Amino acid sequence: MIPAHNDSRSGECGPDLGQGGESDPAARLRFSVDAADGSARAGTIVINGRRIETPVFMPVGTAGSVKALPPHDVESLGATICLGNTYHLYLRPGAEVIRGAGGLHRFIGWNGAILTDSGGFQVFSLQELRRVTAEGVRFRSHLDGSEHLFTPESVVDFQFELGVDIAMVLDVCSPYPASHSDAAADLEVTLGWAARSRDRHRSAVDYTTTALFGIVQGSVYEDLRRHSARALLACGFDGYAIGGLSVGEPKEAMWEMTEATVAELPDVRPRYLMGVGTPEDLIMGIERGIDMFDCVLPTRNARNGTAFTSHGPVPVKAARYARDFDPLDPECDCLTCRRHSRAYIRHLFNAGEISAMMLTTRHNLHFYLTIVRRARRAIMDGRWQIFAREFLAAYAEGDSAATQ
């Protein structure tokens, strides 16, 4: 057992023990920066024998499945890490089933790394169905109305039971807009819970196999964001996420908060911008030094009939594509684009065929994964600015309204 370093309920943190050395308890997750071009950087995460090159996009499999695409298909696209959600997996199928299967990797048949969100965002989106207490947050299931309690400790324990590679701390995601005082109050709860999560993590028997990321909060207030980042850094986590953005604030505010946060974070740890975003957002985030992204946009928009392409989004269900026999993206080499036309996929949507969603999802995920791979190559070759400028110019040629 690794002793706790301070009062688990004080919300105070000890020094950051982790700088990546052999004696570093955080060495279970190794991160190296392979190249940098301005603030953009290409790195490598190694955890549990799994190698993740960054920048990386993580397909979202909220309930243990990327919608409309089985795990082996997602792997075939080159995804090295996917995202699950603690709230949804806790409610259904629950820890007992997943533990009985030998962990989440075996249960869903996924060979890559898995990161689970703590469920904080989902719980706090329940609004009238949840209540924050001194222990944690009480909430009612959206499935059957049953009451549950998430504490920082129970959320860490559950993610250990899942056997995931990267776990997230329980946090409070302030809504937008929020007053400075409300955001500050939410942040203090988040920091207290982060310290308790960190202590639970360090005392657990699975400490060496599951990494734990802290989550920077603070709404759109720079002083809160900087305070949050500094406090979490004092705790010492394996990586640092930026949460509570892309929740309705203007894009300018999102990037201002990202820049302020990144300025406080160490170079030796991965940086994860949660829930972001559009293809342009990936470029803008990488430009600011972000290493990891996740978002439901490529899969959700695919199911609604919008394909992301090199020249902007294509709302393929539109009548103008009825006799368009070009692929979704003539510059794309995915299986969907090699074999099928816009006209055929539009027909599948109109006929209510499941394959329409599968084919478009496959293309959209391939497109997102290709963006980060090309970005990494450009950073390694020292031509990041040229790549970013050319990508954004080409993408702006399309129908940007269809991405929203």
Side-chain angles (χ1 to χ4, degrees):
M1 297 285 286
I2 299 173
H5 292 271
N6 52 27
D7 180 356
S8 65
R9 294 185 180 270
S10 69
E12 298 177 357
C13 294
D16 182 2
L17 300 177
Q19 295 299 323
E22 289 299 320
S23 61
D24 177 3
R28 64 194 155 272
L29 181 150
R30 299 197 304 277
F31 176 70
S32 59
V33 177
D34 304 321
D37 190 347
S39 296
R41 59 189 199 167
T44 302
I45 297 170
V46 179
I47 184 167
N48 297 327
R50 299 180 172 96
R51 177 184 173 91
I52 305 160
E53 293 185 341
T54 66
V56 65
F57 178 78
M58 301 179 285
V60 177
T62 299
S65 173
V66 174
K67 294 186 186 301
L69 216 56
H72 62 271
D73 272 359
V74 180
E75 285 182 349
S76 73
L77 295 173
T80 53
I81 180 172
C82 71
L83 186 142
N85 186 270
T86 297
Y87 168 80
H88 288 282
L89 293 169
Y90 165 83
L91 291 179
R92 186 173 56 189
E96 185 178 350
V97 171
I98 297 174
R99 188 170 55 245
L104 189 57
H105 292 84
R106 290 187 178 180
F107 183 60
I108 69 175
W110 174 257
N111 295 317
I114 298 177
L115 179 151
T116 42
D117 192 3
S118 65
F121 179 83
Q122 284 71 30
V123 168
F124 284 92
S125 68
L126 295 174
Q127 299 291 336
E128 298 176 356
L129 297 178
R130 51 85 172 167
R131 180 166 56 90
V132 176
T133 70
E135 295 177 277
V137 55
R138 290 191 179 276
F139 62 96
R140 289 192 177 278
S141 164
H142 72 285
L143 297 175
D144 59 9
S146 57
E147 184 172 300
H148 303 269
L149 171 66
F150 269 2
T151 68
E153 293 83 3
S154 70
V155 167
V156 169
D157 289 347
F158 181 70
Q159 292 177 94
F160 280 153
E161 289 191 85
L162 298 180
V164 301
D165 301 284
I166 301 175
M168 306 297 294
V169 301
L170 184 64
D171 62 326
V172 180
C173 179
S174 298
Y176 180 83
S179 68
H180 187 279
S181 59
D182 286 346
D186 289 343
L187 175 57
E188 288 311 304
V189 175
T190 288
L191 293 178
W193 288 358
R196 290 166 54 186
S197 301
R198 188 280 314 269
D199 289 346
R200 188 64 155 209
H201 185 236
R202 289 185 177 178
S203 66
V205 293
D206 291 328
Y207 176 54
T208 56
T209 61
T210 299
L212 184 68
F213 279 22
I215 303 177
V216 175
Q217 291 287 351
S219 188
V220 293
Y221 302 103
E222 181 174 339
D223 61 324
L224 297 183
R225 287 277 170 186
R226 289 185 180 274
H227 169 64
S228 178
R230 291 167 185 164
L232 292 176
L233 184 58
C235 275
F237 289 96
D238 299 307
Y240 297 90
I242 303 173
L245 295 177
S246 194
V247 294
E249 77 281 1
K251 278 287 177 69
E252 294 78 8
M254 181 175 81
W255 295 126
E256 287 174 6
M257 294 304 103
T258 300
E259 289 174 2
T261 302
V262 168
E264 300 291 340
L265 298 179
D267 291 336
V268 295
R269 292 281 181 260
R271 306 161 181 159
Y272 165 27
L273 183 57
M274 303 179 76
V276 177
T278 66
E280 302 104 308
D281 290 338
L282 298 189
I283 299 298
M284 302 299 280
I286 293 169
E287 168 70 14
R288 289 162 173 80
I290 297 297
D291 306 303
M292 304 169 69
F293 301 87
D294 81 282
C295 190
V296 298
L297 206 58
T299 49
R300 187 183 65 193
N301 282 25
R303 298 194 304 279
N304 291 327
T306 293
F308 293 100
T309 79
S310 305
H311 298 279
V314 170
V316 72
K317 291 194 291 186
R320 63 180 180 273
Y321 298 113
R323 295 179 181 276
D324 187 334
F325 302 111
D326 284 336
L328 289 174
D329 185 351
E331 298 178 18
C332 177
D333 63 353
C334 79
L335 193 60
T336 298
C337 289
R338 291 204 307 269
R339 293 193 179 185
H340 305 294
S341 68
R342 296 171 176 177
Y344 176 62
I345 294 173
R346 177 180 182 275
H347 159 70
L348 294 177
F349 272 111
N350 286 344
E353 292 289 344
I354 295 173
S355 55
M357 292 185 273
M358 296 175 66
L359 291 172
T360 312
T361 297
R362 184 195 301 274
H363 165 77
N364 276 359
L365 283 182
H366 180 273
F367 183 72
Y368 266 61
L369 293 166
T370 300
I371 291 173
V372 293
R373 280 196 290 264
R374 291 178 62 198
R376 175 182 170 83
R377 186 71 262 163
I379 295 167
M380 298 286 286
D381 293 344
R383 53 181 183 79
W384 162 251
Q385 289 296 328
I386 296 173
F387 166 77
R389 185 168 57 250
E390 290 180 349
F391 177 90
L392 292 174
Y395 194 80
E397 296 173 3
D399 180 5
S400 61
T403 63
Q404 306 301 320

mmCIF file of all heavy atoms in Angstrom, residues 353-390:
data_model
loop_
_atom_site.group_PDB
_atom_site.id
_atom_site.type_symbol
_atom_site.label_atom_id
_atom_site.label_comp_id
_atom_site.label_asym_id
_atom_site.label_seq_id
_atom_site.Cartn_x
_atom_site.Cartn_y
_atom_site.Cartn_z
ATOM 1 N N GLU A 353 -31.435 2.408 -44.532
ATOM 2 C CA GLU A 353 -30.499 1.299 -44.361
ATOM 3 C C GLU A 353 -29.451 1.638 -43.301
ATOM 4 O O GLU A 353 -28.854 2.727 -43.323
ATOM 5 C CB GLU A 353 -29.804 0.994 -45.694
ATOM 6 C CG GLU A 353 -30.725 0.425 -46.762
ATOM 7 C CD GLU A 353 -31.155 -1.008 -46.459
ATOM 8 O OE1 GLU A 353 -30.506 -1.653 -45.611
ATOM 9 O OE2 GLU A 353 -32.151 -1.463 -47.058
ATOM 10 N N ILE A 354 -29.195 0.678 -42.391
ATOM 11 C CA ILE A 354 -28.191 0.885 -41.344
ATOM 12 C C ILE A 354 -26.811 1.131 -41.945
ATOM 13 O O ILE A 354 -25.991 1.868 -41.397
ATOM 14 C CB ILE A 354 -28.152 -0.340 -40.409
ATOM 15 C CG1 ILE A 354 -29.477 -0.469 -39.662
ATOM 16 C CG2 ILE A 354 -26.992 -0.255 -39.431
ATOM 17 C CD1 ILE A 354 -29.599 -1.738 -38.850
ATOM 18 N N SER A 355 -26.552 0.534 -43.109
ATOM 19 C CA SER A 355 -25.238 0.664 -43.735
ATOM 20 C C SER A 355 -24.903 2.117 -44.068
ATOM 21 O O SER A 355 -23.721 2.468 -44.179
ATOM 22 C CB SER A 355 -25.160 -0.193 -44.998
ATOM 23 O OG SER A 355 -26.209 0.137 -45.887
ATOM 24 N N ALA A 356 -25.906 2.968 -44.235
ATOM 25 C CA ALA A 356 -25.639 4.386 -44.499
ATOM 26 C C ALA A 356 -24.862 4.996 -43.337
ATOM 27 O O ALA A 356 -23.862 5.704 -43.537
ATOM 28 C CB ALA A 356 -26.952 5.140 -44.705
ATOM 29 N N MET A 357 -25.312 4.728 -42.109
ATOM 30 C CA MET A 357 -24.626 5.264 -40.931
ATOM 31 C C MET A 357 -23.257 4.623 -40.751
ATOM 32 O O MET A 357 -22.290 5.289 -40.378
ATOM 33 C CB MET A 357 -25.506 5.045 -39.697
ATOM 34 C CG MET A 357 -26.772 5.887 -39.697
ATOM 35 S SD MET A 357 -27.725 5.738 -38.179
ATOM 36 C CE MET A 357 -28.718 4.321 -38.580
ATOM 37 N N MET A 358 -23.159 3.324 -41.042
ATOM 38 C CA MET A 358 -21.881 2.628 -40.881
ATOM 39 C C MET A 358 -20.834 3.176 -41.854
ATOM 40 O O MET A 358 -19.695 3.450 -41.468
ATOM 41 C CB MET A 358 -22.083 1.129 -41.095
ATOM 42 C CG MET A 358 -22.986 0.481 -40.067
ATOM 43 S SD MET A 358 -23.338 -1.260 -40.422
ATOM 44 C CE MET A 358 -21.719 -1.984 -40.219
ATOM 45 N N LEU A 359 -21.226 3.333 -43.115
ATOM 46 C CA LEU A 359 -20.272 3.806 -44.122
ATOM 47 C C LEU A 359 -19.825 5.241 -43.843
ATOM 48 O O LEU A 359 -18.654 5.586 -44.003
ATOM 49 C CB LEU A 359 -20.897 3.709 -45.518
ATOM 50 C CG LEU A 359 -21.113 2.290 -46.055
ATOM 51 C CD1 LEU A 359 -21.923 2.326 -47.348
ATOM 52 C CD2 LEU A 359 -19.772 1.599 -46.286
ATOM 53 N N THR A 360 -20.763 6.092 -43.445
ATOM 54 C CA THR A 360 -20.416 7.488 -43.181
ATOM 55 C C THR A 360 -19.599 7.616 -41.897
ATOM 56 O O THR A 360 -18.658 8.420 -41.818
ATOM 57 C CB THR A 360 -21.688 8.349 -43.112
ATOM 58 O OG1 THR A 360 -22.514 8.059 -44.241
ATOM 59 C CG2 THR A 360 -21.355 9.829 -43.121
ATOM 60 N N THR A 361 -19.922 6.807 -40.897
ATOM 61 C CA THR A 361 -19.130 6.819 -39.655
ATOM 62 C C THR A 361 -17.698 6.374 -39.931
ATOM 63 O O THR A 361 -16.739 6.977 -39.446
ATOM 64 C CB THR A 361 -19.772 5.898 -38.604
ATOM 65 O OG1 THR A 361 -21.073 6.397 -38.275
ATOM 66 C CG2 THR A 361 -18.922 5.832 -37.346
ATOM 67 N N ARG A 362 -17.560 5.306 -40.732
ATOM 68 C CA ARG A 362 -16.220 4.830 -41.060
ATOM 69 C C ARG A 362 -15.409 5.944 -41.736
ATOM 70 O O ARG A 362 -14.248 6.182 -41.407
ATOM 71 C CB ARG A 362 -16.296 3.621 -41.996
ATOM 72 C CG ARG A 362 -14.929 3.007 -42.318
ATOM 73 C CD ARG A 362 -15.057 2.081 -43.525
ATOM 74 N NE ARG A 362 -16.010 1.022 -43.288
ATOM 75 C CZ ARG A 362 -15.715 -0.127 -42.698
ATOM 76 N NH1 ARG A 362 -14.496 -0.337 -42.287
ATOM 77 N NH2 ARG A 362 -16.634 -1.051 -42.539
ATOM 78 N N HIS A 363 -16.051 6.638 -42.684
ATOM 79 C CA HIS A 363 -15.339 7.726 -43.369
ATOM 80 C C HIS A 363 -14.970 8.841 -42.398
ATOM 81 O O HIS A 363 -13.837 9.330 -42.390
ATOM 82 C CB HIS A 363 -16.189 8.309 -44.499
ATOM 83 C CG HIS A 363 -15.668 9.623 -44.968
ATOM 84 N ND1 HIS A 363 -14.563 9.747 -45.779
ATOM 85 C CD2 HIS A 363 -16.054 10.906 -44.651
ATOM 86 C CE1 HIS A 363 -14.301 11.024 -45.981
ATOM 87 N NE2 HIS A 363 -15.178 11.752 -45.306
ATOM 88 N N ASN A 364 -15.930 9.288 -41.579
ATOM 89 C CA ASN A 364 -15.663 10.430 -40.692
ATOM 90 C C ASN A 364 -14.546 10.128 -39.692
ATOM 91 O O ASN A 364 -13.686 10.981 -39.419
ATOM 92 C CB ASN A 364 -16.934 10.832 -39.943
ATOM 93 C CG ASN A 364 -17.816 11.750 -40.776
ATOM 94 O OD1 ASN A 364 -17.475 12.105 -41.908
ATOM 95 N ND2 ASN A 364 -18.958 12.128 -40.234
ATOM 96 N N LEU A 365 -14.555 8.925 -39.128
ATOM 97 C CA LEU A 365 -13.476 8.592 -38.186
ATOM 98 C C LEU A 365 -12.135 8.512 -38.904
ATOM 99 O O LEU A 365 -11.112 8.968 -38.379
ATOM 100 C CB LEU A 365 -13.789 7.269 -37.470
ATOM 101 C CG LEU A 365 -14.817 7.354 -36.346
ATOM 102 C CD1 LEU A 365 -14.997 5.988 -35.697
ATOM 103 C CD2 LEU A 365 -14.399 8.376 -35.284
ATOM 104 N N HIS A 366 -12.140 7.942 -40.099
ATOM 105 C CA HIS A 366 -10.895 7.910 -40.890
ATOM 106 C C HIS A 366 -10.402 9.331 -41.154
ATOM 107 O O HIS A 366 -9.201 9.613 -41.063
ATOM 108 C CB HIS A 366 -11.145 7.180 -42.215
ATOM 109 C CG HIS A 366 -9.936 7.092 -43.097
ATOM 110 N ND1 HIS A 366 -9.586 8.081 -43.999
ATOM 111 C CD2 HIS A 366 -8.979 6.137 -43.212
ATOM 112 C CE1 HIS A 366 -8.485 7.735 -44.622
ATOM 113 N NE2 HIS A 366 -8.100 6.573 -44.174
ATOM 114 N N PHE A 367 -11.321 10.237 -41.457
ATOM 115 C CA PHE A 367 -10.946 11.627 -41.730
ATOM 116 C C PHE A 367 -10.311 12.266 -40.494
ATOM 117 O O PHE A 367 -9.250 12.906 -40.586
ATOM 118 C CB PHE A 367 -12.180 12.414 -42.166
ATOM 119 C CG PHE A 367 -11.900 13.833 -42.545
ATOM 120 C CD1 PHE A 367 -11.226 14.130 -43.725
ATOM 121 C CD2 PHE A 367 -12.294 14.885 -41.728
ATOM 122 C CE1 PHE A 367 -10.957 15.447 -44.085
ATOM 123 C CE2 PHE A 367 -12.031 16.195 -42.072
ATOM 124 C CZ PHE A 367 -11.361 16.483 -43.253
ATOM 125 N N TYR A 368 -10.935 12.113 -39.335
ATOM 126 C CA TYR A 368 -10.390 12.698 -38.104
ATOM 127 C C TYR A 368 -9.017 12.089 -37.760
ATOM 128 O O TYR A 368 -8.081 12.798 -37.375
ATOM 129 C CB TYR A 368 -11.364 12.481 -36.939
ATOM 130 C CG TYR A 368 -12.313 13.631 -36.714
ATOM 131 C CD1 TYR A 368 -13.214 14.019 -37.705
ATOM 132 C CD2 TYR A 368 -12.325 14.325 -35.511
ATOM 133 C CE1 TYR A 368 -14.102 15.069 -37.501
ATOM 134 C CE2 TYR A 368 -13.206 15.386 -35.299
ATOM 135 C CZ TYR A 368 -14.086 15.752 -36.294
ATOM 136 O OH TYR A 368 -14.953 16.800 -36.092
ATOM 137 N N LEU A 369 -8.922 10.755 -37.864
ATOM 138 C CA LEU A 369 -7.657 10.102 -37.522
ATOM 139 C C LEU A 369 -6.552 10.498 -38.498
ATOM 140 O O LEU A 369 -5.377 10.603 -38.118
ATOM 141 C CB LEU A 369 -7.855 8.580 -37.511
ATOM 142 C CG LEU A 369 -8.767 8.065 -36.384
ATOM 143 C CD1 LEU A 369 -9.180 6.621 -36.652
ATOM 144 C CD2 LEU A 369 -8.079 8.180 -35.030
ATOM 145 N N THR A 370 -6.931 10.745 -39.747
ATOM 146 C CA THR A 370 -5.948 11.176 -40.735
ATOM 147 C C THR A 370 -5.470 12.600 -40.454
ATOM 148 O O THR A 370 -4.291 12.921 -40.656
ATOM 149 C CB THR A 370 -6.544 11.081 -42.152
ATOM 150 O OG1 THR A 370 -6.908 9.727 -42.414
ATOM 151 C CG2 THR A 370 -5.544 11.542 -43.211
ATOM 152 N N ILE A 371 -6.365 13.451 -39.985
ATOM 153 C CA ILE A 371 -5.948 14.825 -39.647
ATOM 154 C C ILE A 371 -4.812 14.802 -38.623
ATOM 155 O O ILE A 371 -3.779 15.453 -38.801
ATOM 156 C CB ILE A 371 -7.134 15.634 -39.076
ATOM 157 C CG1 ILE A 371 -8.178 15.917 -40.159
ATOM 158 C CG2 ILE A 371 -6.639 16.965 -38.488
ATOM 159 C CD1 ILE A 371 -9.441 16.570 -39.615
ATOM 160 N N VAL A 372 -4.991 14.049 -37.543
ATOM 161 C CA VAL A 372 -3.962 14.065 -36.494
ATOM 162 C C VAL A 372 -2.688 13.364 -36.954
ATOM 163 O O VAL A 372 -1.579 13.758 -36.561
ATOM 164 C CB VAL A 372 -4.494 13.476 -35.162
ATOM 165 C CG1 VAL A 372 -5.564 14.381 -34.583
ATOM 166 C CG2 VAL A 372 -5.030 12.063 -35.339
ATOM 167 N N ARG A 373 -2.830 12.333 -37.799
ATOM 168 C CA ARG A 373 -1.618 11.683 -38.316
ATOM 169 C C ARG A 373 -0.838 12.633 -39.220
ATOM 170 O O ARG A 373 0.393 12.719 -39.146
ATOM 171 C CB ARG A 373 -2.000 10.403 -39.077
ATOM 172 C CG ARG A 373 -2.279 9.206 -38.190
ATOM 173 C CD ARG A 373 -2.270 7.914 -39.000
ATOM 174 N NE ARG A 373 -3.407 7.813 -39.885
ATOM 175 C CZ ARG A 373 -4.535 7.146 -39.593
ATOM 176 N NH1 ARG A 373 -4.650 6.537 -38.423
ATOM 177 N NH2 ARG A 373 -5.528 7.082 -40.451
ATOM 178 N N ARG A 374 -1.540 13.355 -40.084
ATOM 179 C CA ARG A 374 -0.867 14.304 -40.967
ATOM 180 C C ARG A 374 -0.273 15.463 -40.161
ATOM 181 O O ARG A 374 0.815 15.974 -40.485
ATOM 182 C CB ARG A 374 -1.851 14.825 -42.006
ATOM 183 C CG ARG A 374 -2.300 13.785 -43.029
ATOM 184 C CD ARG A 374 -3.313 14.365 -43.997
ATOM 185 N NE ARG A 374 -2.743 15.459 -44.770
ATOM 186 C CZ ARG A 374 -3.470 16.352 -45.428
ATOM 187 N NH1 ARG A 374 -4.802 16.296 -45.388
ATOM 188 N NH2 ARG A 374 -2.892 17.304 -46.121
ATOM 189 N N ALA A 375 -0.967 15.863 -39.126
ATOM 190 C CA ALA A 375 -0.453 16.930 -38.265
ATOM 191 C C ALA A 375 0.838 16.492 -37.596
ATOM 192 O O ALA A 375 1.823 17.249 -37.539
ATOM 193 C CB ALA A 375 -1.501 17.307 -37.217
ATOM 194 N N ARG A 376 0.838 15.269 -37.098
ATOM 195 C CA ARG A 376 2.050 14.755 -36.440
ATOM 196 C C ARG A 376 3.223 14.730 -37.425
ATOM 197 O O ARG A 376 4.328 15.165 -37.099
ATOM 198 C CB ARG A 376 1.792 13.342 -35.906
ATOM 199 C CG ARG A 376 3.032 12.686 -35.319
ATOM 200 C CD ARG A 376 2.762 11.266 -34.849
ATOM 201 N NE ARG A 376 4.004 10.593 -34.516
ATOM 202 C CZ ARG A 376 4.632 10.708 -33.356
ATOM 203 N NH1 ARG A 376 4.119 11.448 -32.410
ATOM 204 N NH2 ARG A 376 5.758 10.079 -33.140
ATOM 205 N N ARG A 377 2.951 14.246 -38.641
ATOM 206 C CA ARG A 377 4.015 14.178 -39.655
ATOM 207 C C ARG A 377 4.542 15.577 -39.970
ATOM 208 O O ARG A 377 5.751 15.783 -40.125
ATOM 209 C CB ARG A 377 3.457 13.515 -40.912
ATOM 210 C CG ARG A 377 4.453 13.235 -41.998
ATOM 211 C CD ARG A 377 5.389 12.104 -41.613
ATOM 212 N NE ARG A 377 6.655 12.625 -41.092
ATOM 213 C CZ ARG A 377 7.531 11.915 -40.394
ATOM 214 N NH1 ARG A 377 7.295 10.658 -40.110
ATOM 215 N NH2 ARG A 377 8.651 12.454 -39.953
ATOM 216 N N ALA A 378 3.619 16.534 -40.080
ATOM 217 C CA ALA A 378 4.030 17.907 -40.400
ATOM 218 C C ALA A 378 4.895 18.491 -39.283
ATOM 219 O O ALA A 378 5.881 19.192 -39.543
ATOM 220 C CB ALA A 378 2.797 18.776 -40.630
ATOM 221 N N ILE A 379 4.536 18.213 -38.030
ATOM 222 C CA ILE A 379 5.335 18.706 -36.899
ATOM 223 C C ILE A 379 6.726 18.068 -36.931
ATOM 224 O O ILE A 379 7.753 18.739 -36.749
ATOM 225 C CB ILE A 379 4.627 18.396 -35.564
ATOM 226 C CG1 ILE A 379 3.298 19.168 -35.475
ATOM 227 C CG2 ILE A 379 5.531 18.740 -34.380
ATOM 228 C CD1 ILE A 379 2.392 18.697 -34.357
ATOM 229 N N MET A 380 6.753 16.766 -37.170
ATOM 230 C CA MET A 380 8.041 16.055 -37.208
ATOM 231 C C MET A 380 8.937 16.608 -38.318
ATOM 232 O O MET A 380 10.170 16.649 -38.175
ATOM 233 C CB MET A 380 7.805 14.559 -37.440
ATOM 234 C CG MET A 380 7.007 13.860 -36.345
ATOM 235 S SD MET A 380 7.910 13.586 -34.806
ATOM 236 C CE MET A 380 8.990 12.257 -35.284
ATOM 237 N N ASP A 381 8.311 17.026 -39.436
ATOM 238 C CA ASP A 381 9.083 17.517 -40.582
ATOM 239 C C ASP A 381 9.349 19.024 -40.521
ATOM 240 O O ASP A 381 9.957 19.580 -41.460
ATOM 241 C CB ASP A 381 8.340 17.200 -41.883
ATOM 242 C CG ASP A 381 8.277 15.700 -42.163
ATOM 243 O OD1 ASP A 381 9.053 14.950 -41.529
ATOM 244 O OD2 ASP A 381 7.453 15.286 -42.988
ATOM 245 N N GLY A 382 8.845 19.686 -39.478
ATOM 246 C CA GLY A 382 9.067 21.122 -39.346
ATOM 247 C C GLY A 382 8.273 21.970 -40.324
ATOM 248 O O GLY A 382 8.687 23.078 -40.667
ATOM 249 N N ARG A 383 7.122 21.472 -40.768
ATOM 250 C CA ARG A 383 6.284 22.240 -41.698
ATOM 251 C C ARG A 383 4.847 22.338 -41.189
ATOM 252 O O ARG A 383 3.901 22.310 -41.968
ATOM 253 C CB ARG A 383 6.317 21.599 -43.088
ATOM 254 C CG ARG A 383 5.978 20.124 -43.110
ATOM 255 C CD ARG A 383 6.047 19.544 -44.514
ATOM 256 N NE ARG A 383 5.646 18.145 -44.501
ATOM 257 C CZ ARG A 383 4.391 17.713 -44.455
ATOM 258 N NH1 ARG A 383 3.403 18.583 -44.444
ATOM 259 N NH2 ARG A 383 4.116 16.436 -44.415
ATOM 260 N N TRP A 384 4.723 22.455 -39.876
ATOM 261 C CA TRP A 384 3.408 22.521 -39.258
ATOM 262 C C TRP A 384 2.595 23.713 -39.745
ATOM 263 O O TRP A 384 1.417 23.585 -40.087
ATOM 264 C CB TRP A 384 3.539 22.553 -37.728
ATOM 265 C CG TRP A 384 2.290 23.053 -37.056
ATOM 266 C CD1 TRP A 384 2.108 24.237 -36.417
ATOM 267 C CD2 TRP A 384 1.022 22.386 -37.005
ATOM 268 N NE1 TRP A 384 0.827 24.357 -35.962
ATOM 269 C CE2 TRP A 384 0.133 23.228 -36.316
ATOM 270 C CE3 TRP A 384 0.555 21.163 -37.480
ATOM 271 C CZ2 TRP A 384 -1.202 22.904 -36.076
ATOM 272 C CZ3 TRP A 384 -0.772 20.820 -37.264
ATOM 273 C CH2 TRP A 384 -1.634 21.688 -36.562
ATOM 274 N N GLN A 385 3.211 24.880 -39.770
ATOM 275 C CA GLN A 385 2.473 26.085 -40.145
ATOM 276 C C GLN A 385 1.946 25.985 -41.575
ATOM 277 O O GLN A 385 0.820 26.408 -41.860
ATOM 278 C CB GLN A 385 3.368 27.322 -39.992
ATOM 279 C CG GLN A 385 3.669 27.697 -38.541
ATOM 280 C CD GLN A 385 2.411 28.095 -37.769
ATOM 281 O OE1 GLN A 385 1.474 28.646 -38.345
ATOM 282 N NE2 GLN A 385 2.387 27.809 -36.483
ATOM 283 N N ILE A 386 2.745 25.426 -42.467
ATOM 284 C CA ILE A 386 2.305 25.266 -43.862
ATOM 285 C C ILE A 386 1.121 24.305 -43.927
ATOM 286 O O ILE A 386 0.099 24.577 -44.574
ATOM 287 C CB ILE A 386 3.467 24.747 -44.736
ATOM 288 C CG1 ILE A 386 4.583 25.785 -44.779
ATOM 289 C CG2 ILE A 386 2.985 24.392 -46.139
ATOM 290 C CD1 ILE A 386 5.842 25.298 -45.472
ATOM 291 N N PHE A 387 1.238 23.181 -43.231
ATOM 292 C CA PHE A 387 0.160 22.193 -43.229
ATOM 293 C C PHE A 387 -1.126 22.796 -42.668
ATOM 294 O O PHE A 387 -2.210 22.646 -43.257
ATOM 295 C CB PHE A 387 0.563 20.968 -42.403
ATOM 296 C CG PHE A 387 -0.600 20.073 -42.086
ATOM 297 C CD1 PHE A 387 -1.124 19.222 -43.050
ATOM 298 C CD2 PHE A 387 -1.204 20.092 -40.825
ATOM 299 C CE1 PHE A 387 -2.220 18.407 -42.763
ATOM 300 C CE2 PHE A 387 -2.290 19.291 -40.533
ATOM 301 C CZ PHE A 387 -2.799 18.443 -41.499
ATOM 302 N N ALA A 388 -1.015 23.458 -41.509
ATOM 303 C CA ALA A 388 -2.211 24.007 -40.860
ATOM 304 C C ALA A 388 -2.889 25.042 -41.753
ATOM 305 O O ALA A 388 -4.127 25.046 -41.904
ATOM 306 C CB ALA A 388 -1.828 24.627 -39.510
ATOM 307 N N ARG A 389 -2.097 25.914 -42.365
ATOM 308 C CA ARG A 389 -2.651 26.956 -43.233
ATOM 309 C C ARG A 389 -3.355 26.343 -44.453
ATOM 310 O O ARG A 389 -4.470 26.737 -44.801
ATOM 311 C CB ARG A 389 -1.536 27.904 -43.665
ATOM 312 C CG ARG A 389 -2.011 29.097 -44.475
ATOM 313 C CD ARG A 389 -0.911 30.147 -44.616
ATOM 314 N NE ARG A 389 0.304 29.624 -45.206
ATOM 315 C CZ ARG A 389 1.449 29.444 -44.553
ATOM 316 N NH1 ARG A 389 1.533 29.764 -43.283
ATOM 317 N NH2 ARG A 389 2.515 28.961 -45.166
ATOM 318 N N GLU A 390 -2.723 25.355 -45.058
ATOM 319 C CA GLU A 390 -3.317 24.744 -46.250
ATOM 320 C C GLU A 390 -4.562 23.944 -45.901
ATOM 321 O O GLU A 390 -5.553 23.962 -46.646
ATOM 322 C CB GLU A 390 -2.281 23.837 -46.930
ATOM 323 C CG GLU A 390 -1.140 24.621 -47.572
ATOM 324 C CD GLU A 390 -0.113 23.726 -48.236
ATOM 325 O OE1 GLU A 390 -0.153 22.486 -48.025
ATOM 326 O OE2 GLU A 390 0.735 24.269 -48.963
#
